[in-house]
C-alpha cells in the first residue's frame, strides 16, 4: 500500500517542481482549500483548487500519497498527479473543480492576469512568480470567467460542472511552448509518478523495513521538496520545505547531503556544493539562498568539516572532487580565523545567535557577540578534516593539525570552568553559563576531548534527554518554552551532531537512547521543524527536510548496527 499523508502537513509535489499543492499559503497560514503554491520569488499561492458540485463548493475528503492527491465525496472523485516537474494533470468524474486566481485584485505590478490563448488554452500570468500557469482542457465540459479583466474580478476556469468525466492540464511556463499533447492516459501517468518516487526511495532507503515505519515518508518529504536549478539555485537542491521555510540554509544542506549520500551520491554532492557555489572572496558562505535571493547578513556554524568527514564515509567511491572540497573548506575556515576572531583572541565568535543556527538560544540572551565552545569545537573538527585532506592530496597538513590542537587547548583553557563549558561576551569579557544544550555541543569532539570533560558533557546531555529527545533548554530552566524555538524544543541537527559525538567518544548506550527517542518522535509526529520536548507534538513548519534526513541517517545507522 502506498504511503499516505495529510496535505495539511506535507505539500503534494514532486522532485524538480517549483510548485506544489497545499492549503498552507503563508507563514503558519492555512486556507480552507488546497492551492497551487509557487516557490519562485518567495512563497505565493497562485491558484485555488476548489471541488464543486451543482455550482457549489463540494465537501470532500482529501487523501494524498506520493503519486496522487484525491478529493472524494462518496463515489465522486477528483485526482491530481504531476506528469512532469512543471506539469500537473487533474481528472474528475461526478464533480468538477474551480481553478481560480487566488488574488482577486490585479494592479499594474501585482496579482494574476487571466486571458484565453488563441490556441485554446487559458493562461494565468502571475506577477509575483514571474511565470505563467496555462490550463488546457483535454476532455469534458468547461467554462471560463474573468478573461482580460482588470482591477477586481473573479478569474477562473471551471471544469466538469455537468458531472461528467473531465481532465485538464496545468503547466508552469516562462513565456511560451507548443500546445500540450498527452501520449499517456491518466492512470498511466499516476503509475509513472509512483514508479519515479519508488526508484528514489529504493535507492535512498533500501534498508527500510517494519522497524523503520517512517522511512518511506521521510524519503517523500525530501523527494518532493527538491527543485530543479533556477535563479540563484545553481543545481538540483532540496529546499528545507515547500511550506514557508522554502530556502536552503548554510548548515541545513549538510544533513540532507548525508542522508542522500549512500543511495543518491550525485544529488548528495549537489546538496553539499549548492552553498559553496555562492562562497564569497573572504571564504564565507551565505546565510541562505532561494530562487530569487542570496542573503549574507548572517552566516551559519562551520559544521562543514564534520559533514565532509561523514560524507567521505558514506559516499560510494569517496568524494567526487577532494581537491575542490579542500579549497572550499580552507577558505571557509580562513574566514572564521581571519574575520571572526577579535584582536588578541584565540577563539572565534558569533555576531548573533542566528550565526550559530540556534537563533534565540539563551547563550545569546544577554549578549549577542559571543565566544562559545560549540564554534571552537566545530572548527577543531574542520581543521582536522583539512589536515586529512591535505595529506591525501600531497598538500602541507601539519599547519592544520597544529591550529586544530591550539584551538582545542584554548577552548579548554578559556571556556571550561571545571564543571561545564561557558560562553564569553566579546565586548564585555563576561563569562556566562546557561541551561542551553548549545553549551554541551562540544561533545561533537568525541575522542579528542579529555575523558573527564567528555564524561561531564555526557551527564549534562542525559539531563536534557526527555522521553521525546534532546530538549534544547533544560525543562527546569526559567527560560524554557514549550514552543520557544531554540529554548526548549527538540531539533534534528542538534540530535545528529550530539549522537555522532557521543558515539565517537564511546558513549554508545547514551547515543542509542538519543537516536531511538528521536526516531520514535518522528514516527509518531512526522517531520516537523521541531518538536515539543515533553509531548513530542510537531511544531512550526510540518514538512522539514533536515528532520526527514536526520531520521534516515539515524535509522540507517541503527539498521547497520543490527547486522
Amino acid at each position: 500500500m502506498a504511503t499516505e499523508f495529510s496535505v495539511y502537513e506535507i505539500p503534494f509535489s514532486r522532485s524538480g517542481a517549483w510548485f506544489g499543492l497545499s492549503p498552507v499559503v503563508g507563514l503558519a497560514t492555512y486556507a480552507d482549500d488546497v492551492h497551487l503554491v509557487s516557490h519562485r520569488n518567495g512563497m505565493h499561492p497562485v491558484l485555488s483548487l476548489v471541488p464543486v458540485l451543482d455550482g457549489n463548493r463540494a465537501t470532500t475528503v482529501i487523501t494524498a500519497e506520493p503519486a496522487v492527491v484525491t478529493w472524494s465525496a462518496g463515489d465522486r472523485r477528483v485526482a491530481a498527479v504531476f506528469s512532469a516537474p512543471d506539469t500537473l494533470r487533474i481528472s474528475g468524474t461526478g464533480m468538477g473543480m474551480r481553478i481560480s486566481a487566488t488574488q482577486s485584485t490585479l494592479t499594474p505590478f501585482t496579482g494574476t492576469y487571466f486571458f484565453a490563448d488563441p490556441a485554446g488554452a487559458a493562461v494565468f500570468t502571475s506577477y509575483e512568480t514571474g511565470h505563467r500557469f496555462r490550463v488546457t482542457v483535454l476532455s469534458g465540459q468547461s467554462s471560463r470567467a474573468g478573461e482580460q479583466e482588470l482591477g477586481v474580478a473573479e478569474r477562473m476556469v471551471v471544469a466538469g460542472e455537468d458531472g461528467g468525466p473531465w481532465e485538464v492540464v496545468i503547466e508552469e511556463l516562462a513565456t511560451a511552448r507548443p500546445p500540450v499533447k498527452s501520449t499517456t492516459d491518466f492512470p498511466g501517468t499516476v503509475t509513472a509518478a509512483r514508479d519515479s518516487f519508488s526508484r528514489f526511495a529504493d535507492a535512498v532507503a533500501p534498508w527500510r523495513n517494519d522497524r523503520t515505519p517512517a522511512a518511506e515518508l521521510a524519503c517523500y518529504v525530501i523527494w518532493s521538496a527538491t527543485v530543479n536549478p533556477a535563479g540563484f539555485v545553481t543545481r538540483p537542491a532540496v529546499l528545507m520545505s515547500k511550506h514557508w521555510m522554502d530556502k536552503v540554509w548554510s548548515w541545513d544542506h549538510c544533513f540532507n547531503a548525508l542522508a542522500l549520500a549512500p543511495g543518491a551520491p550525485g544529488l548528495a554532492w549537489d546538496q553539499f556544493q549548492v552553498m559553496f557555489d555562492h562562497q564569497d572572496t573572504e571564504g564565507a558562505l551565505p546565510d541562505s539562498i532561494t530562487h530569487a535571493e542570496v542573503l549574507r547578513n548572517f552566516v551559519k556554524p562551520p559544521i562543514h568539516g564534520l559533514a565532509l568527514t561523514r560524507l567521505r564515509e558514506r559516499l560510494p567511491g569517496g568524494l567526487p572532487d577532494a581537491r575542490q572540497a579542500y579549497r572550499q573548506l580552507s577558505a571557509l575556515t580562513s574566514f572564521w580565523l581571519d574575520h571572526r576572531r577579535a584582536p588578541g583572541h584565540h577563539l572565534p565568535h558569533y555576531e548573533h545567535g542566528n550565526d550559530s543556527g540556534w537563533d534565540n538560544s539563551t547563550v545569546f540572551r544577554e549578549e549577542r557577540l559571543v565566544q562559545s565552545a560549540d564554534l571552537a569545537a566545530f572548527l577543531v573538527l574542520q581543521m582536522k578534516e583539512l589536515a586529512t585532506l591535505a595529506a591525501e592530496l600531497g598538500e602541507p597538513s601539519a599547519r592544520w593539525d597544529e591550529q586544530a590542537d591550539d584551538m582545542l587547548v584554548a577552548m579548554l583553557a578559556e571556556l571550561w570552568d571545571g564543571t561545564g563549558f561557558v560562553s564569553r561576551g566579546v565586548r564585555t569579557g563576561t563569562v556566562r553559563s546557561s541551561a542551553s544544550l548549545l553549551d554541551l555541543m562540544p561533545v561533537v569532539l568525541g575522542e579528542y576531548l579529555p575523558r573527564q570533560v567528555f564524561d561531564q558533557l555526557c551527564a549534562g546531555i542525559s539531563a536534557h534527554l526527555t522521553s521525546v529527545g534532546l530538549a534544547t533548554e533544560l525543562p527546569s530552566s526559567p527560560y524554557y518554552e514549550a514552543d520557544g524555538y531554540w529554548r526548549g524544543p527538540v531539533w534534528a541537527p542538534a540530535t545528529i551532531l550530539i549522537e555522532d559525538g557521543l558515539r565517537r567518544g564511546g558513549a554508545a548506550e547514551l547515543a542509542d537512547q538519543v537516536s531511538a527517542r528521536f526516531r520514535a518522535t518522528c514516527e509518531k509526529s512526522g517531520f516537523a521543524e521541531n518538536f515539543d520536548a515533553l509531548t513530542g507534538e510537531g511544531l512550526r513548519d510540518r514538512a522539514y527536510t533536515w528532520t526527514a534526513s536526520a531520521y534516515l541517517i539515524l535509522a540507517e545507522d541503527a539498521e547497520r548496527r543490527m547486522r
Side-chain angles (χ1 to χ4, degrees):
M1 181 178 176
T3 295
E4 292 189 356
F5 58 90
S6 168
V7 293
Y8 288 87
E9 294 192 352
I10 300 172
F12 176 74
S13 190
R14 67 157 290 159
S15 180
W18 276 92
F19 69 91
L21 302 185
S22 174
V24 181
V25 295
L27 175 61
T29 303
Y30 292 77
D32 291 333
D33 294 295
V34 170
H35 284 63
L36 185 154
V37 181
S38 171
H39 297 277
R40 297 186 191 270
N41 299 322
M43 181 183 186
H44 302 290
V46 180
L47 303 174
S48 66
L49 306 180
V50 181
V52 291
L53 185 62
D54 298 327
N56 299 311
R57 182 182 183 277
T59 300
T60 60
V61 174
I62 304 174
T63 56
E65 49 107 333
V68 63
V69 60
T70 304
W71 294 257
S72 302
D75 60 356
R76 306 172 190 271
R77 296 280 189 279
V78 174
V81 58
F82 280 88
S83 59
D86 61 2
T87 305
L88 185 75
R89 290 177 68 166
I90 309 177
S91 175
T93 184
M95 64 179 169
M97 177 159 280
R98 183 168 65 240
I99 302 166
S100 58
T102 301
Q103 296 185 58
S104 60
T105 301
L106 177 67
T107 77
F109 305 105
T110 64
T112 302
Y113 173 57
F114 179 57
F115 66 95
D117 186 315
V123 180
F124 295 90
T125 297
S126 165
Y127 278 98
E128 284 72 20
T129 69
H131 279 65
R132 300 160 180 243
F133 293 86
R134 184 172 73 178
V135 181
T136 302
V137 177
L138 296 183
S139 63
Q141 184 270 343
S142 68
S143 63
R144 296 193 288 261
E147 297 174 49
Q148 302 185 55
E149 291 289 344
L150 303 179
V152 179
E154 285 191 307
R155 301 168 178 87
M156 69 180 73
V157 174
V158 183
E161 288 178 291
D162 62 351
W166 58 272
E167 183 175 348
V168 303
V169 174
I170 303 178
E171 301 168 277
E172 179 197 41
L173 58 134
T175 53
R177 67 174 58 163
V180 64
K181 291 182 179 180
S182 176
T183 58
T184 306
D185 63 12
F186 193 87
T189 303
V190 172
T191 298
R194 187 172 288 127
D195 289 347
S196 178
F197 169 68
S198 294
R199 287 192 297 271
F200 177 85
D202 289 344
V204 171
W207 39 264
R208 64 193 190 279
N209 55 44
D210 291 343
R211 292 188 298 271
T212 59
E216 189 159 306
L217 187 58
C219 288
Y220 176 74
V221 169
I222 296 168
W223 181 78
S224 64
T226 303
V227 294
N228 283 336
F232 288 112
V233 178
T234 51
R235 56 184 76 215
V238 180
L239 303 179
M240 289 311 103
S241 174
K242 281 183 181 170
H243 285 325
W244 59 86
M245 300 295 280
D246 53 354
K247 298 185 179 184
V248 183
W249 277 267
S250 282
W251 66 318
D252 311 46
H253 68 119
C254 293
F255 301 98
N256 288 337
L258 290 172
L260 292 167
L267 185 59
W269 190 242
D270 281 334
Q271 301 325 295
F272 189 74
Q273 287 293 312
V274 70
M275 300 307 295
F276 283 98
D277 289 345
H278 297 278
Q279 190 169 28
D280 70 16
T281 55
E282 303 302 327
L285 297 179
D287 183 49
S288 65
I289 62 169
T290 188
H291 175 264
E293 67 180 18
V294 178
L295 297 184
R296 297 188 183 275
N297 50 326
F298 296 107
V299 293
K300 284 294 176 277
I303 68 163
H304 303 80
L306 186 157
L308 203 60
T309 301
R310 290 292 304 273
L311 277 172
R312 286 171 355 108
E313 300 166 355
R314 295 173 67 82
L315 282 168
L319 301 181
D321 192 335
R323 191 166 295 278
Q324 177 189 40
Y326 176 73
R327 289 195 304 268
Q328 294 167 335
L329 203 61
S330 297
L332 177 59
T333 306
S334 295
F335 161 75
W336 286 96
L337 299 181
D338 296 344
H339 301 287
R340 288 298 182 91
R341 288 199 288 193
H345 286 240
H346 296 291
L347 296 176
H349 61 269
Y350 293 125
E351 295 177 344
H352 187 279
N354 288 358
D355 285 343
S356 75
W358 295 51
D359 308 358
N360 67 330
S361 163
T362 50
V363 168
F364 306 98
R365 190 176 67 86
E366 296 182 58
E367 292 186 67
R368 261 56 66 194
L369 269 70
V370 167
Q371 293 171 342
S372 60
D374 69 295
L375 176 54
F378 292 142
L379 285 171
V380 169
L381 291 176
Q382 191 144 294
M383 290 186 282
K384 290 289 186 183
E385 173 62 18
L386 281 167
T388 300
L389 278 172
E392 292 177 358
L393 294 169
E395 301 283 349
S397 61
R399 70 182 180 104
W400 291 119
D401 268 326
E402 291 168 3
Q403 288 187 94
D405 293 342
D406 289 347
M407 185 162 289
L408 178 56
V409 169
M411 183 189 80
L412 291 169
E414 299 181 32
L415 298 181
W416 178 256
D417 71 359
T419 60
F421 281 105
V422 296
S423 59
R424 177 188 288 114
V426 175
R427 303 292 294 177
T428 66
T430 303
V431 171
R432 298 182 178 89
S433 60
S434 78
S436 174
L437 185 65
L438 188 60
D439 278 342
L440 300 168
M441 189 56 71
V443 77
V444 298
L445 287 166
E447 68 274 23
Y448 296 115
L449 286 170
R451 194 73 234 172
Q452 179 191 7
V453 173
F454 181 81
D455 289 345
Q456 288 185 253
L457 291 177
C458 288
I461 289 165
S462 294
H464 280 261
L465 185 59
T466 72
S467 62
V468 172
L470 290 169
T472 45
E473 181 82 7
L474 277 175
S476 58
S477 165
Y479 303 111
Y480 176 86
E481 299 175 46
D483 186 8
Y485 229 50
W486 294 93
R487 293 192 178 190
V490 174
W491 285 80
T495 301
I496 288 291
L497 295 169
I498 286 175
E499 193 268 356
D500 181 71
L502 290 171
R503 207 168 290 285
R504 286 188 293 101
E509 183 176 348
L510 182 54
D512 287 345
Q513 293 176 19
V514 169
S515 172
R517 294 183 191 185
F518 180 82
R519 286 182 283 124
T521 298
C522 292
E523 289 161 3
K524 174 185 176 184
S525 300
F527 302 106
E529 186 177 355
N530 53 63
F531 303 93
D532 185 304
L534 301 182
T535 68
E537 177 190 357
L539 303 172
R540 308 294 175 116
D541 194 311
R542 299 301 298 272
Y544 216 75
T545 56
W546 75 1
T547 308
S549 287
Y551 179 86
L552 292 175
I553 293 165
L554 295 173
E556 181 181 12
D557 288 349
E559 287 300 303
R560 186 181 297 112
R561 287 192 295 272
M562 294 183 68
R563 293 172 190 163

